[in-house]
Amino acid sequence: MAAGRYAPSPTSDLHVGNLRTAVLAWLFARSTGRDFLLRVEDLDTDRVRAADGTEARQLTDLAALGLVFDGELVRQSDRHDAYAAAVTALGDRVYECYCTRREIAQAASAPHGEPDGFRPYPGTCRDLTERERAERRRTRRPALRIRADDAWVAIADELMGRVTGPVDDFVLRRGDGVWAYNLAVVVDDIAMGVDQVVRGDDLLSSAPRQAWLTEQLGGTVPAYAHVPLVVNPDGVRLAKRDGAVSLTDLAATGRDAAWVLRWIGESLGLSAEGEAVTLDLLLTRFDPDALPRTPTVFAHSPA
Ligand code: GLU
């Protein structure tokens, strides 16, 4: 089975940028004959948020745009056993790490040509003796990291071309017991048969790690398309504070889901200003090569 997916985190209502990415993921999947799957990434959201209906509103908003998903919804909070099994499968390359963030930041490491802002884990806990581990375990709850031997990985991105990046000993499970994003995404994409990952380009730097981990777990690296984000008129990534940016808030200003879909079509260069569109119409016009490669400004939200 070939499939693409949309994988929102239920932390807040989807804004037009998130919705545009969801439509793009659907267009990429459908235009290549793939199924389109939905995964709720709710590992890092506390119970209060989960209970406040954010997930249900996200699903309602996706449906309001006409997005239909294949198969059962997958919720990461139901998949703890799968993440634990993956860590077991990775064997003795997984090790406990007792470092605090501050300790990692303080462990000076000379840059080795890594991208800006990439601070590789310095390896402090990589080769501790069993005795040292036992001692540290008494005072700290360990995170789990994977030994990556300073790999550099290249991925092929539909929009960005060839992207290479470093893979350090990244975290698989946090010290507080929460499974890490990179582990969960990879385990789930393999299990769900996802072979096409379309998402915001803020996640591009995670792709080399995820591609590497996919191979370590015996999976096939998916095709990637990291799409430019939607920004506010100041050029800053769109966020809730930018006023009416969710379907609910836009509806209160007289703009319905059809208006949002028209805006998405225009912003992708797939429809003329004001032209009525459906997802199926956008699909007939979809051409990945013609997609904008720069951020799109959303300037329609009275604050
Ligand atoms: N859950 C992530 C987000 O909402 C997306 C993860 C992914 O697509 O790999 O930003």
Side-chain angles (χ1 to χ4, degrees):
M1 181 187 71
R5 45 62 159 194
Y6 184 60
S9 304
T11 46
S12 63
D13 288 356
L14 298 170
H15 57 57
V16 290
N18 306 130
L19 294 168
R20 182 174 180 271
T21 301
V23 167
L24 274 166
W26 183 88
L27 289 167
F28 268 99
R30 285 285 183 259
S31 64
T32 53
R34 287 176 162 90
D35 280 353
F36 187 52
L37 309 176
L38 178 63
R39 180 169 73 233
V40 174
E41 304 213 318
D42 57 351
L43 288 177
D44 198 15
T45 31
D46 54 40
R47 281 163 202 276
V48 182
R49 275 181 179 159
D52 83 355
T54 305
E55 176 192 309
R57 281 199 304 281
Q58 290 188 337
L59 301 189
T60 304
D61 289 352
L62 293 167
L65 288 187
L67 291 168
V68 175
F69 294 91
D70 300 298
E72 296 278 304
L73 179 159
V74 171
R75 218 174 258 115
Q76 290 191 325
S77 55
D78 293 333
R79 295 191 34 80
H80 296 289
D81 292 350
Y83 308 136
V87 167
T88 303
L90 291 166
D92 58 11
R93 290 148 71 207
V94 178
Y95 64 87
E96 292 186 354
C97 169
Y98 315 90
C99 297
T100 60
R101 264 172 221 261
R102 170 190 281 231
E103 283 163 354
I104 294 172
Q106 280 170 351
S109 84
H112 290 86
E114 282 94 359
D116 285 352
F118 183 82
R119 293 271 202 90
Y121 175 65
T124 320
C125 297
R126 192 183 291 140
D127 295 309
L128 298 180
T129 63
E130 200 38 61
R131 206 186 153 142
E132 288 168 324
R133 289 185 210 283
E135 184 147 314
R136 283 172 177 69
R137 245 177 244 137
R138 269 192 260 139
T139 52
R140 299 234 177 109
R141 293 179 63 194
L144 296 179
R145 289 184 184 270
I146 174 104
R147 197 182 291 268
D149 300 323
D150 300 319
W152 272 78
V153 170
I155 60 139
D157 189 279
E158 284 264 0
L159 299 178
M160 308 282 178
R162 187 181 140 91
V163 177
T164 62
V167 181
D168 67 342
D169 288 5
F170 59 93
V171 171
L172 303 178
R173 197 185 69 198
R174 302 187 330 207
D176 61 5
V178 176
W179 300 105
Y181 159 68
N182 283 315
L183 175 76
V185 163
V186 169
V187 170
D188 291 343
D189 281 342
I190 294 173
M192 294 165 74
V194 168
D195 64 351
Q196 180 190 57
V197 169
V198 178
R199 60 189 176 192
D201 66 8
D202 53 326
L203 292 170
L204 181 63
S205 64
S206 300
R209 285 184 178 129
Q210 292 174 9
W212 179 85
L213 186 59
T214 302
E215 286 186 332
Q216 307 310 309
L217 288 169
T220 306
V221 176
Y224 290 101
H226 288 88
V227 301
L229 296 177
V230 175
V231 296
N232 71 16
D234 297 326
V236 178
R237 176 181 171 173
L238 199 69
K240 232 173 157 177
R241 62 176 173 278
D242 291 312
V245 289
S246 69
L247 283 191
T248 307
D249 291 344
L250 283 163
T253 70
R255 298 167 172 101
D256 59 7
W259 183 92
V260 172
L261 198 57
R262 282 204 300 279
W263 178 81
I264 290 173
E266 283 166 37
S267 79
L268 296 174
L270 297 175
S271 55
E273 207 179 322
E275 184 185 357
V277 295
T278 60
L279 282 175
D280 286 331
L281 179 73
L282 297 181
L283 183 58
T284 62
R285 298 176 180 175
F286 182 61
D287 172 11
D289 292 338
L291 283 178
R293 299 294 204 271
T294 50
T296 292
V297 180
F298 186 73
H300 298 275
S301 62

